[in-house]
Amino acid sequence: MNVASFTSAPLARLRGVRHLYGKTLALDGLDLSLPSGQVLALLGPNGAGKTTAISLLLGLQRADAGSADLFGLPPQALEARRRVGVMLQSAAVPDTLKVRELIDLTRSYYPQPRSVADCVALAGLDGLMERRYGQLSGGQQRRVQFALAVCGRPALLFLDEPTTGLDIDARQTLWKAIRELSAQGCAVLLTTHYLEEAEALADRVVVVNHGRAVAEGTVAQIRARVSQRRIRCSSSLPAAQVQEWPGVQLAQRDGERLEVVAEFAEPIVRRLLAEDATLSDLEVQRAGLADAFLALTRDATQKEAA
Amino acid sequence: MSTLVAPPFSSTRAYLLEARYEFLRLLRTPSFSLPCLLFPPVFYLLFGVLLGGKGGPVAAQYMLAGYGVFGVIGVALFGFGVTVAMDREQGLLTLKRAQPMPPGAYLVAKMAMALLFAAIILSLLAVLAAGVAGVQLSATQWIAWATTCLVGVLPFSALGLWLGTLVSGRGAPALINLIYLPMAFLSGLWVPLTMLPPVLQTTAPVWPAYHLAHIAQQAVGVGAGRQLGLHVAVLAAITAVFFVLARRRLVH
């Protein structure tokens, strides 16, 4: 095996993928590439297409157009999936099997599995091994699912909404385990609709909405895109005209209110006041990460509608 | 693009564990294991031995054949039908497909589970037949009876598998009971066909269980020795057709 080409080739890749559920377009030309060792977060609202992207990469569905590959192979190839661990959003693990048995079984699918003791330590399963899965709390079940995802010593871990429904403590514990794996060189593809989760874990974030990537970058870059200023005011100036001003990233009208997005607020505010003497209700906000995220996904929606 | 050099790795252990845990999983599900394991011996004791025991040795052998078939069909239909419906509905099948489970392991495990349950039922029936009903068979007949019933798991597993791809986990037991119980009665598994109205006697061959029952009856030395090939062919066709139908629905 050529190590150099191996490390530079993406572990998982979607190219121009379109996918329909009935008449609903779930993915609309999504490109995605995950290099080795990276933690990539797919961030987006429910229904954005995140889970569809993961099921295509795992070979659970075939794309209507475009291609998906895992380790350079079709995702249906067993050799590719033997290097992958999965935690699905709606995982049904047999209730009547004990935790030890579930781990035993899943380990048998992999050529070089992690030791049972390692799995217990990573997922925090102390004292749960002899319990039946159905007797565990929701948080404990999630930890077992995580153990099943990591027990094969995967080079790539898929985590679909791993902390949905977990309390804060359980979420922190899982985050810690994901960081530990990442430190050992395991690449992670994570979907989430929690911004904090992307912020806490991800090297790179792809914001997905309506089946398309609407923003991509490091957490800092995404935050920078979000740390724009939003200027809102009541003004009669046409949005189309303001949009042309230097420094304005977006200008739009919401009834009486004019909303302007710019990296620096001051020059824009100065010009707004100069050009519209009747301007009132001026407010300037620094967008938070959540605001930025909402803005990114909303902008994409509007562009689509236009 | 780098190619993967997969280390030599055998899936044997995955197959074995998959089968072992499929068996344990169902054994620990009383709503499956109790009816499947207890109904055939209890029914046999009540209807085959206590009520039907006055018909002499031929009747006792006929009953053993019928209840053996009844028992293995139940395991095959419920073991495949209900679990596949539930696995599909709850997402276990999706998880298994995402995990690197060897592709055949799922069905092989269910098959092994069904055979093991069938073997337990047949052992219980054999003990009752020899100990309580006074059935006397040669060693060859015992082996022929058990083998017929065990191989008979196949066509009904295929049928169960297909049924399991049609309905939800909640709907599956009802649907399967609606087929299983009338089929058992109308195929002459519980009471001899000759005791049924003539119209039911003539329509009996439409039921797959009728054909398996005929082979089992010949194995224990009752029933006419004709048409063995026909019964085997019908069961083989049922296996192939339902397996293909189920596979098509599972892959979709």
Side-chain angles (χ1 to χ4, degrees):
Chain A
M1 197 186 321
N2 182 330
V3 173
S5 77
F6 178 72
T7 49
S8 59
L11 305 190
R13 180 159 54 182
L14 291 178
R15 275 182 289 194
V17 160
R18 279 170 62 85
H19 195 70
L20 289 156
Y21 279 118
K23 285 185 176 169
T24 313
L25 192 58
L27 290 179
D28 184 12
L30 183 68
D31 291 300
L32 201 67
S33 176
L34 180 62
S36 67
Q38 192 174 73
V39 180
L40 170 64
L42 281 184
L43 188 61
N46 287 328
K50 307 183 300 281
T51 297
T52 309
I54 285 209
S55 23
L56 291 173
L57 281 171
L58 287 170
L60 297 174
Q61 301 175 61
R62 283 172 201 270
D64 292 330
S67 69
D69 55 76
L70 256 188
F71 296 94
L73 295 167
Q76 284 82 9
L78 206 55
E79 310 91 271
R81 289 210 316 284
R82 280 192 178 135
R83 314 201 52 182
V84 165
V86 275
M87 181 166 168
L88 298 178
Q89 203 174 335
S90 51
V93 173
D95 278 349
T96 49
L97 290 183
K98 295 173 182 172
V99 175
R100 178 177 50 74
E101 296 165 341
L102 291 167
I103 292 176
D104 186 31
L105 176 61
T106 310
R107 283 176 79 248
S108 76
Y109 300 155
Y110 291 92
Q112 288 157 316
R114 215 175 278 283
S115 75
V116 174
D118 276 3
C119 298
V120 172
L122 255 175
L125 297 179
D126 269 324
L128 300 181
M129 293 300 273
E130 297 306 320
R131 301 266 298 275
R132 289 189 188 183
Y133 184 79
Q135 299 168 335
L136 302 177
S137 72
Q140 290 169 332
Q141 291 189 340
R142 221 57 191 137
R143 267 144 65 191
V144 173
Q145 292 166 24
F146 183 74
L148 299 182
V150 302
C151 71
R153 202 187 297 277
L156 167 57
L157 192 57
F158 286 92
L159 303 172
D160 194 5
E161 308 271 356
T163 61
T164 300
L166 289 188
D167 62 34
I168 292 177
D169 277 351
R171 183 174 301 172
Q172 297 281 359
T173 312
L174 200 60
W175 285 358
K176 185 168 159 277
I178 295 170
R179 283 198 203 98
E180 203 172 314
L181 281 169
S182 169
Q184 292 170 19
C186 179
V188 179
L189 180 57
L190 160 93
T191 72
T192 181
H193 54 254
Y194 298 120
L195 292 153
E196 320 88 271
E197 189 152 290
E199 200 163 14
L201 298 171
D203 301 314
R204 193 158 63 96
V205 176
V206 173
V207 181
V208 181
N209 197 28
H210 294 281
R212 269 184 243 169
V214 294
E216 182 172 351
T218 62
V219 174
Q221 283 166 338
I222 296 283
R223 196 191 285 127
R225 276 191 71 160
V226 206
S227 69
Q228 306 145 329
R229 301 301 193 271
R230 288 190 169 261
I231 305 155
R232 291 187 182 87
C233 57
S234 292
S235 165
S236 55
L237 287 169
Q241 183 190 326
V242 178
Q243 178 79 63
E244 301 304 313
W245 295 358
V248 170
Q249 290 169 346
L250 181 77
Q252 61 192 17
R253 181 159 288 286
D254 178 15
E256 280 289 288
R257 310 277 291 165
L258 179 68
E259 191 176 302
V260 184
V261 179
E263 193 171 352
F264 302 105
E266 294 79 6
I268 309 296
V269 170
R270 218 170 273 135
R271 188 159 172 191
L272 280 170
L273 291 169
E275 298 212 4
D276 182 2
T278 65
L279 184 147
S280 61
D281 278 341
L282 176 70
E283 60 183 297
V284 178
Q285 278 183 339
R286 178 186 176 133
L289 193 55
D291 282 336
F293 169 65
L294 276 176
L296 285 170
T297 53
R298 190 175 59 215
D299 293 351
T301 311
Q302 280 168 353
K303 271 182 211 148
E304 197 167 272
Chain B
M1 184 64 57
S2 67
T3 50
L4 278 176
V5 183
F9 170 59
S10 155
S11 296
T12 316
R13 194 175 137 79
Y15 276 91
L16 286 175
L17 288 182
E18 196 73 46
R20 174 177 171 189
Y21 290 130
E22 182 67 22
F23 177 74
L24 275 180
R25 180 188 160 199
L26 286 179
L27 194 64
R28 290 174 189 163
T29 309
S31 62
F32 170 82
S33 55
L34 287 181
C36 272
L37 291 176
L38 292 185
F39 279 8
V42 168
F43 280 24
Y44 177 60
L45 207 56
L46 290 178
F47 304 116
V49 180
L50 295 181
L51 290 177
K54 298 156 192 117
V58 172
Q61 285 165 13
Y62 181 94
M63 288 297 170
L64 175 63
Y67 282 91
V69 169
F70 174 66
V72 299
I73 291 179
V75 165
L77 287 182
F78 285 95
F80 274 76
V82 178
T83 60
V84 168
M86 274 170 37
D87 292 352
R88 269 191 325 123
E89 183 173 274
Q90 296 169 351
L92 179 64
L93 204 51
T94 309
L95 179 66
K96 295 277 186 190
R97 282 173 58 210
Q99 289 173 340
M101 177 185 69
Y106 182 75
L107 289 183
V108 171
K110 286 210 189 299
M111 200 68 222
M113 169 278 298
L115 287 174
L116 201 48
F117 270 104
I120 297 173
I121 292 168
L122 294 175
S123 310
L124 292 171
L125 287 175
V127 168
L128 289 176
V132 183
V135 171
Q136 290 184 337
L137 298 180
S138 69
T140 324
Q141 283 175 321
W142 279 118
I143 291 168
W145 169 75
T147 311
T148 304
C149 292
L150 286 177
V151 175
V153 168
L154 251 171
F156 295 94
S157 297
L159 176 60
L161 183 66
W162 178 67
L163 293 173
T165 65
L166 296 182
V167 286
S168 69
R170 237 181 246 178
L175 175 71
I176 289 170
N177 269 318
L178 272 177
I179 294 169
Y180 176 47
L181 298 178
M183 176 168 72
F185 178 70
L186 297 171
S187 303
L189 302 185
W190 292 341
V191 292
L193 270 181
T194 48
M195 293 171 65
L196 299 184
V199 62
L200 295 181
Q201 291 184 34
T202 43
T203 53
V206 306
W207 300 100
Y210 167 89
H211 301 278
L212 183 60
H214 262 247
I215 305 174
Q217 286 156 18
Q218 290 178 30
V220 298
V222 294
R226 289 171 298 142
Q227 292 183 325
L228 184 66
L230 178 72
H231 297 308
V232 172
V234 168
L235 293 173
I238 287 168
T239 308
V241 166
F242 286 110
F243 185 73
V244 168
L245 285 176
R247 200 186 143 80
R248 190 177 296 168
R249 282 195 57 90
L250 281 176
V251 173
H252 51 76

